[in-house]
Amino acid sequence: MVLTRSFVRAKRPCTDGFRWFVRQFNDGGHYQELLDRMVAAGRVGDACWLLEQFGPTDEVREVDAIDAEAIVFSGTLRVRGGIDVEGIVRVGRALHAGGGLRVGGDLIVGEDLRTEGKVRVTGRIDIGGDLRAGWGVECAGELRCAGDLRAGWALRCDGRLHLGGNAFVGLELDAGSELRCAKSLQVGGDIVAAEGLRAEQGITAGGSIRADLHLEAGWGIKAGGLIAAGGAIRVGEGLHAGEGIAAGAGYGVFAGLGVHMEAWEASARVSAPHKPAGLMSGWWAGPAAC
Protein backbone atom coordinates (compact mmCIF):
# COMPACT_ATOMS: atom_id res chain seq x y z
CA MET A 1 0.00 0.00 0.00
CA VAL A 2 1.33 3.43 -1.01
CA LEU A 3 0.58 6.40 1.21
CA THR A 4 0.49 9.70 -0.67
CA ARG A 5 1.07 13.15 0.79
CA SER A 6 -2.62 14.02 0.51
CA PHE A 7 -3.64 10.69 2.07
CA VAL A 8 -1.44 11.29 5.11
CA ARG A 9 -2.47 14.96 5.40
CA ALA A 10 -6.14 13.89 5.56
CA LYS A 11 -5.37 12.13 8.88
CA ARG A 12 -4.27 15.46 10.38
CA PRO A 13 -0.74 14.57 11.50
CA CYS A 14 1.30 16.88 13.71
CA THR A 15 3.17 19.62 11.83
CA ASP A 16 6.64 18.33 12.68
CA GLY A 17 5.81 14.77 11.68
CA PHE A 18 4.23 15.80 8.37
CA ARG A 19 7.20 17.99 7.47
CA TRP A 20 9.53 15.06 8.13
CA PHE A 21 7.35 12.85 5.92
CA VAL A 22 7.47 15.34 3.04
CA ARG A 23 11.25 15.76 3.33
CA GLN A 24 11.84 12.03 3.29
CA PHE A 25 9.21 10.82 0.81
CA ASN A 26 8.03 13.89 -1.10
CA ASP A 27 4.75 12.72 -2.68
CA GLY A 28 4.50 9.40 -0.81
CA GLY A 29 5.92 5.96 -0.17
CA HIS A 30 5.16 2.33 0.64
CA TYR A 31 3.37 1.91 3.99
CA GLN A 32 5.83 -0.50 5.64
CA GLU A 33 8.82 1.35 4.23
CA LEU A 34 7.51 4.50 5.91
CA LEU A 35 7.22 2.65 9.23
CA ASP A 36 10.73 1.21 8.93
CA ARG A 37 12.28 4.58 8.08
CA MET A 38 10.47 6.31 10.93
CA VAL A 39 11.69 3.73 13.45
CA ALA A 40 15.25 3.94 12.08
CA ALA A 41 15.13 7.74 12.48
CA GLY A 42 13.98 7.42 16.10
CA ARG A 43 10.43 8.57 15.31
CA VAL A 44 8.77 5.55 16.90
CA GLY A 45 5.80 7.59 18.13
CA ASP A 46 5.10 8.78 14.59
CA ALA A 47 5.31 5.20 13.32
CA CYS A 48 2.81 4.04 15.94
CA TRP A 49 0.49 6.91 15.02
CA LEU A 50 0.68 5.92 11.34
CA LEU A 51 -0.18 2.31 12.19
CA GLU A 52 -3.14 3.48 14.28
CA GLN A 53 -4.44 5.58 11.39
CA PHE A 54 -4.04 3.09 8.53
CA GLY A 55 -4.33 -0.22 10.38
CA PRO A 56 -2.82 -3.67 9.77
CA THR A 57 -1.90 -5.25 6.44
CA ASP A 58 -1.47 -8.81 5.11
CA GLU A 59 2.28 -8.39 4.69
CA VAL A 60 4.41 -11.19 6.19
CA ARG A 61 8.06 -10.80 7.16
CA GLU A 62 10.25 -13.77 8.18
CA VAL A 63 13.68 -13.31 9.78
CA ASP A 64 16.14 -15.45 11.77
CA ALA A 65 16.30 -13.22 14.89
CA ILE A 66 15.71 -9.61 15.97
CA ASP A 67 17.95 -7.37 18.08
CA ALA A 68 16.66 -3.81 17.70
CA GLU A 69 15.80 -0.54 19.41
CA ALA A 70 12.11 -0.75 18.43
CA ILE A 71 9.76 -2.56 16.05
CA VAL A 72 6.65 -1.25 14.32
CA PHE A 73 5.32 -3.68 11.71
CA SER A 74 1.95 -3.55 9.97
CA GLY A 75 1.48 -7.24 9.17
CA THR A 76 2.59 -10.62 10.56
CA LEU A 77 6.12 -11.01 11.87
CA ARG A 78 7.68 -14.49 12.07
CA VAL A 79 11.03 -14.89 13.80
CA ARG A 80 12.77 -18.24 13.76
CA GLY A 81 14.87 -17.41 16.83
CA GLY A 82 14.54 -14.93 19.68
CA ILE A 83 13.54 -11.26 19.88
CA ASP A 84 15.41 -8.67 21.97
CA VAL A 85 14.11 -5.10 21.70
CA GLU A 86 15.06 -2.13 23.90
CA GLY A 87 11.89 -0.13 23.29
CA ILE A 88 8.38 -0.72 21.97
CA VAL A 89 7.20 -3.66 19.87
CA ARG A 90 4.02 -2.99 17.91
CA VAL A 91 2.72 -5.49 15.35
CA GLY A 92 -0.47 -5.01 13.35
CA ARG A 93 -1.35 -8.69 13.03
CA ALA A 94 0.44 -11.75 14.52
CA LEU A 95 3.86 -12.19 16.10
CA HIS A 96 5.53 -15.63 16.20
CA ALA A 97 8.94 -16.33 17.75
CA GLY A 98 10.86 -19.60 17.90
CA GLY A 99 12.81 -18.42 20.96
CA GLY A 100 12.30 -15.98 23.82
CA LEU A 101 10.92 -12.45 23.68
CA ARG A 102 12.36 -9.55 25.69
CA VAL A 103 10.82 -6.08 25.29
CA GLY A 104 12.06 -2.97 27.11
CA GLY A 105 8.87 -0.99 26.40
CA ASP A 106 5.27 -1.90 25.56
CA LEU A 107 4.33 -5.01 23.59
CA ILE A 108 1.20 -4.50 21.43
CA VAL A 109 0.08 -7.21 19.00
CA GLY A 110 -3.12 -6.90 16.98
CA GLU A 111 -3.77 -10.64 16.72
CA ASP A 112 -2.00 -13.73 18.18
CA LEU A 113 1.32 -13.85 20.02
CA ARG A 114 3.11 -17.20 20.00
CA THR A 115 6.58 -17.80 21.39
CA GLU A 116 8.46 -20.98 22.24
CA GLY A 117 10.46 -19.31 25.01
CA LYS A 118 9.87 -16.80 27.80
CA VAL A 119 8.04 -13.48 27.40
CA ARG A 120 9.55 -10.65 29.49
CA VAL A 121 8.16 -7.14 29.04
CA THR A 122 9.11 -4.00 30.98
CA GLY A 123 5.99 -2.07 29.89
CA ARG A 124 2.44 -3.28 29.26
CA ILE A 125 1.23 -6.17 27.13
CA ASP A 126 -1.83 -5.83 24.87
CA ILE A 127 -2.72 -8.85 22.72
CA GLY A 128 -5.71 -8.72 20.39
CA GLY A 129 -5.93 -12.53 20.00
CA ASP A 130 -4.42 -15.51 21.83
CA LEU A 131 -1.19 -15.47 23.84
CA ARG A 132 0.80 -18.72 23.94
CA ALA A 133 4.21 -18.89 25.62
CA GLY A 134 6.22 -22.09 25.83
CA TRP A 135 7.87 -20.86 29.04
CA GLY A 136 6.71 -18.14 31.42
CA VAL A 137 5.38 -14.60 31.09
CA GLU A 138 6.63 -11.58 33.05
CA CYS A 139 4.95 -8.18 32.62
CA ALA A 140 5.90 -5.08 34.63
CA GLY A 141 2.75 -3.23 33.59
CA GLU A 142 -0.84 -4.12 32.70
CA LEU A 143 -1.53 -7.28 30.71
CA ARG A 144 -4.59 -7.55 28.48
CA CYS A 145 -5.23 -10.59 26.31
CA ALA A 146 -8.46 -10.59 24.30
CA GLY A 147 -8.33 -14.32 23.55
CA ASP A 148 -7.05 -17.44 25.31
CA LEU A 149 -3.81 -17.37 27.29
CA ARG A 150 -1.51 -20.35 27.77
CA ALA A 151 1.85 -20.20 29.59
CA GLY A 152 3.91 -23.33 30.17
CA TRP A 153 5.59 -21.91 33.26
CA ALA A 154 4.62 -19.08 35.63
CA LEU A 155 2.75 -15.85 34.84
CA ARG A 156 3.61 -12.68 36.74
CA CYS A 157 1.90 -9.34 36.04
CA ASP A 158 2.61 -6.30 38.21
CA GLY A 159 -0.44 -4.39 36.93
CA ARG A 160 -4.02 -5.31 36.04
CA LEU A 161 -4.51 -8.69 34.38
CA HIS A 162 -7.53 -8.90 32.06
CA LEU A 163 -8.09 -12.13 30.12
CA GLY A 164 -10.78 -12.32 27.46
CA GLY A 165 -10.80 -16.12 27.07
CA ASN A 166 -9.71 -19.25 28.90
CA ALA A 167 -6.38 -19.21 30.70
CA PHE A 168 -3.99 -22.05 31.54
CA VAL A 169 -0.78 -21.42 33.51
CA GLY A 170 1.54 -24.34 34.23
CA LEU A 171 3.01 -23.03 37.48
CA GLU A 172 2.13 -19.96 39.61
CA LEU A 173 0.04 -16.95 38.66
CA ASP A 174 0.80 -13.67 40.45
CA ALA A 175 -1.19 -10.51 39.66
CA GLY A 176 -0.08 -7.23 41.23
CA SER A 177 -3.54 -5.68 40.83
CA GLU A 178 -7.02 -6.94 39.91
CA LEU A 179 -7.37 -10.19 37.96
CA ARG A 180 -10.33 -10.69 35.61
CA CYS A 181 -10.92 -13.73 33.40
CA ALA A 182 -13.88 -13.84 30.99
CA LYS A 183 -13.92 -17.65 30.92
CA SER A 184 -12.16 -20.34 33.01
CA LEU A 185 -8.86 -20.03 34.88
CA GLN A 186 -6.67 -23.11 35.44
CA VAL A 187 -3.30 -22.85 37.22
CA GLY A 188 -0.90 -25.61 38.24
CA GLY A 189 0.39 -23.83 41.36
CA ASP A 190 -0.77 -20.87 43.47
CA ILE A 191 -2.94 -17.97 42.32
CA VAL A 192 -2.32 -14.60 44.01
CA ALA A 193 -4.22 -11.38 43.23
CA ALA A 194 -3.19 -8.19 45.03
CA GLU A 195 -6.74 -6.85 44.53
CA GLY A 196 -9.94 -8.67 43.47
CA LEU A 197 -10.15 -11.88 41.45
CA ARG A 198 -13.10 -12.82 39.25
CA ALA A 199 -13.60 -15.52 36.63
CA GLU A 200 -16.87 -15.66 34.70
CA GLN A 201 -16.63 -19.46 34.67
CA GLY A 202 -14.55 -21.68 37.00
CA ILE A 203 -11.22 -21.39 38.82
CA THR A 204 -8.92 -24.37 39.47
CA ALA A 205 -5.51 -24.25 41.18
CA GLY A 206 -3.12 -27.00 42.19
CA GLY A 207 -1.98 -24.82 45.09
CA SER A 208 -3.73 -22.04 47.02
CA ILE A 209 -5.92 -19.18 45.78
CA ARG A 210 -5.58 -15.80 47.51
CA ALA A 211 -7.18 -12.45 46.69
CA ASP A 212 -6.70 -9.30 48.77
CA LEU A 213 -10.26 -8.15 47.95
CA HIS A 214 -13.29 -10.17 46.76
CA LEU A 215 -12.93 -13.61 45.17
CA GLU A 216 -15.66 -14.54 42.67
CA ALA A 217 -16.43 -17.20 40.09
CA GLY A 218 -19.52 -17.70 37.93
CA TRP A 219 -19.12 -21.46 38.32
CA GLY A 220 -17.10 -23.15 41.10
CA ILE A 221 -13.64 -22.87 42.67
CA LYS A 222 -11.32 -25.79 43.44
CA ALA A 223 -7.89 -25.49 45.11
CA GLY A 224 -5.39 -28.04 46.37
CA GLY A 225 -4.45 -25.64 49.15
CA LEU A 226 -6.22 -22.69 50.78
CA ILE A 227 -8.99 -20.55 49.30
CA ALA A 228 -8.75 -17.13 50.97
CA ALA A 229 -9.95 -13.58 50.33
CA GLY A 230 -9.69 -10.23 52.06
CA GLY A 231 -13.35 -9.66 51.17
CA ALA A 232 -16.23 -11.96 50.29
CA ILE A 233 -16.04 -15.31 48.50
CA ARG A 234 -18.88 -15.71 46.00
CA VAL A 235 -19.38 -18.61 43.57
CA GLY A 236 -22.23 -19.75 41.37
CA GLU A 237 -21.69 -23.42 42.21
CA GLY A 238 -19.38 -25.22 44.70
CA LEU A 239 -16.18 -24.66 46.69
CA HIS A 240 -13.52 -27.31 47.28
CA ALA A 241 -10.27 -26.60 49.18
CA GLY A 242 -7.61 -29.00 50.42
CA GLU A 243 -6.49 -26.79 53.32
CA GLY A 244 -9.34 -24.43 54.17
CA ILE A 245 -11.69 -21.64 53.09
CA ALA A 246 -11.49 -18.18 54.66
CA ALA A 247 -13.22 -14.91 53.77
CA GLY A 248 -12.08 -11.56 55.15
CA ALA A 249 -13.12 -10.36 58.60
CA GLY A 250 -16.81 -9.39 58.54
CA TYR A 251 -17.40 -10.96 55.09
CA GLY A 252 -19.26 -14.12 54.14
CA VAL A 253 -18.73 -17.22 52.01
CA PHE A 254 -21.49 -17.68 49.42
CA ALA A 255 -21.79 -20.84 47.31
CA GLY A 256 -24.61 -21.88 44.99
CA LEU A 257 -25.52 -18.36 43.90
CA GLY A 258 -26.25 -19.64 40.40
CA VAL A 259 -27.98 -22.85 41.49
CA HIS A 260 -31.54 -23.51 42.71
CA MET A 261 -31.50 -24.21 46.47
CA GLU A 262 -33.03 -27.67 45.93
CA ALA A 263 -29.94 -28.60 43.88
CA TRP A 264 -27.33 -27.40 46.39
CA GLU A 265 -26.49 -30.90 47.67
CA ALA A 266 -25.43 -31.95 44.17
CA SER A 267 -24.22 -28.73 42.56
CA ALA A 268 -23.24 -26.30 45.34
CA ARG A 269 -21.17 -28.46 47.68
CA VAL A 270 -18.66 -26.78 50.00
CA SER A 271 -15.83 -29.03 51.19
CA ALA A 272 -12.71 -28.30 53.24
CA PRO A 273 -10.95 -29.73 56.33
CA HIS A 274 -13.04 -27.38 58.51
CA LYS A 275 -16.34 -25.60 57.95
CA PRO A 276 -15.55 -22.00 56.95
CA ALA A 277 -16.66 -19.23 59.26
CA GLY A 278 -19.38 -17.09 57.73
CA LEU A 279 -20.70 -19.77 55.35
CA MET A 280 -23.90 -18.11 54.19
CA SER A 281 -25.07 -20.40 51.39
CA GLY A 282 -24.28 -23.72 49.73
CA TRP A 283 -24.27 -27.32 51.02
CA TRP A 284 -21.60 -28.07 53.65
CA ALA A 285 -20.24 -31.48 52.61
CA GLY A 286 -17.41 -31.73 55.14
CA PRO A 287 -13.81 -32.78 54.64
CA ALA A 288 -14.62 -36.20 53.20
CA ALA A 289 -15.65 -34.58 49.90
CA CYS A 290 -12.24 -32.94 49.27
Side-chain angles (χ1 to χ4, degrees):
M1 179 170 61
V2 175
L3 300 184
T4 65
R5 181 192 299 193
S6 60
F7 202 11
V8 173
R9 182 190 287 122
K11 297 294 182 178
R12 298 184 178 180
C14 68
T15 301
D16 179 64
F18 186 68
R19 286 175 177 170
W20 183 89
F21 169 83
V22 172
R23 288 197 301 269
Q24 297 294 319
F25 296 95
N26 194 14
D27 288 332
H30 185 271
Y31 185 17
Q32 187 56 50
E33 181 187 359
L34 291 174
L35 296 176
D36 291 341
R37 291 272 291 275
M38 286 176 175
V39 171
R43 305 185 72 94
V44 178
D46 289 345
C48 291
W49 177 86
L50 202 68
L51 183 56
E52 290 172 0
Q53 300 304 310
F54 295 100
T57 67
D58 294 330
E59 185 169 348
V60 178
R61 178 178 293 178
E62 297 188 13
V63 297
D64 289 330
I66 293 178
D67 186 347
E69 291 296 318
I71 297 172
V72 181
F73 190 74
S74 61
T76 294
L77 187 57
R78 295 174 180 164
V79 184
R80 286 178 280 273
I83 300 173
D84 193 338
V85 177
E86 290 299 321
I88 192 171
V89 172
R90 186 152 188 174
V91 178
R93 293 206 183 274
L95 173 60
H96 300 166
L101 172 60
R102 188 194 72 84
V103 180
D106 293 340
L107 171 62
I108 304 170
V109 179
E111 296 179 357
D112 294 345
L113 169 64
R114 300 175 185 269
T115 175
E116 297 300 320
K118 181 176 182 178
V119 177
R120 186 173 60 185
V121 178
T122 302
R124 67 186 176 95
I125 297 176
D126 193 335
I127 309 299
D130 296 340
L131 191 164
R132 298 182 183 271
W135 293 8
V137 178
E138 290 184 7
C139 177
E142 177 179 327
L143 192 160
R144 187 193 73 88
C145 176
D148 293 341
L149 181 146
R150 187 176 186 90
W153 292 7
L155 168 60
R156 178 182 177 83
C157 174
D158 292 342
R160 293 185 181 88
L161 178 54
H162 288 183
L163 307 173
N166 294 302
F168 173 84
V169 178
L171 299 177
E172 292 76 24
L173 190 159
D174 190 346
S177 183
E178 69 174 0
L179 195 170
R180 294 288 183 268
C181 181
K183 292 187 178 180
S184 290
L185 178 60
Q186 182 178 353
V187 177
D190 295 340
I191 301 175
V192 177
E195 295 184 8
L197 191 167
R198 177 172 176 81
E200 297 301 324
Q201 296 180 4
I203 303 174
T204 304
S208 295
I209 302 173
R210 295 181 174 87
D212 285 358
L213 297 178
H214 302 308
L215 173 57
E216 303 172 88
W219 296 356
I221 299 178
K222 183 176 182 179
L226 180 70
I227 296 177
I233 298 175
R234 296 187 286 256
V235 296
E237 297 179 5
L239 283 166
H240 304 273
E243 296 180 4
I245 301 170
Y251 289 97
V253 177
F254 302 85
L257 295 178
V259 178
H260 197 281
M261 291 178 64
E262 293 181 354
W264 276 3
E265 185 176 359
S267 302
R269 298 169 71 85
V270 178
S271 59
H274 304 283
K275 186 176 182 178
L279 180 60
M280 307 302 291
S281 64
W283 181 273
W284 171 241
C290 294

